[in-house]
Amino acid sequence: MQYMNMDAFATLCETRDALRARKLSATELVQAQIARIEALDGKLNALVVRCFDRALAQARDSDRRLVTGSARPLEGVPDRKSTRLNSSHRT
């Protein structure tokens, strides 16, 4: 999948550099990843919790920091954190 000239399998550094060069925005990147998740997760069932609204809000915040020059080192690069489920209720 290509989005705004970014390969879906781009490295972290390639993604960071594209964001800083404004070849794409953090919001566009998250939207592309959401589309990919929605297209593939039905088969994979990899995501337990979907926080797309929060991800988009954080991407918009990252876009503001990228534009104003106050970006952190990996600003705008999506990060999928794993979720640990409490399984103590299972037998």
Side-chain angles (χ1 to χ4, degrees):
M1 176 179 160
Q2 292 258 342
Y3 192 79
M4 298 294 291
N5 299 322
M6 281 298 299
D7 186 334
F9 300 101
T11 67
L12 182 141
C13 291
E14 290 168 337
T15 303
R16 179 206 58 208
D17 293 347
L19 286 163
R20 291 192 174 187
R22 297 197 183 127
K23 292 181 180 176
L24 76 161
S25 70
T27 302
E28 291 169 328
L29 185 57
V30 169
Q31 288 169 336
Q33 291 202 339
I34 289 170
R36 186 169 172 81
I37 289 166
E38 289 177 337
L40 299 174
D41 198 44
K43 296 175 188 171
L44 301 174
N45 197 28
L47 293 180
V48 176
V49 178
R50 296 178 182 204
C51 303
F52 295 156
D53 291 337
R54 184 170 52 182
L56 286 166
Q58 290 173 345
R60 287 189 293 272
D61 290 342
S62 289
D63 286 333
R64 282 190 280 280
R65 284 189 289 274
L66 286 160
V67 168
T68 62
S70 58
R72 298 170 289 193
L74 297 177
E75 194 71 58
V77 177
D79 177 26
R80 290 178 292 279
K81 297 196 173 36
S82 61
T83 304
R84 294 179 185 225
L85 300 176
N86 181 350
S87 60
S88 61
H89 64 281
R90 296 182 189 174
T91 55

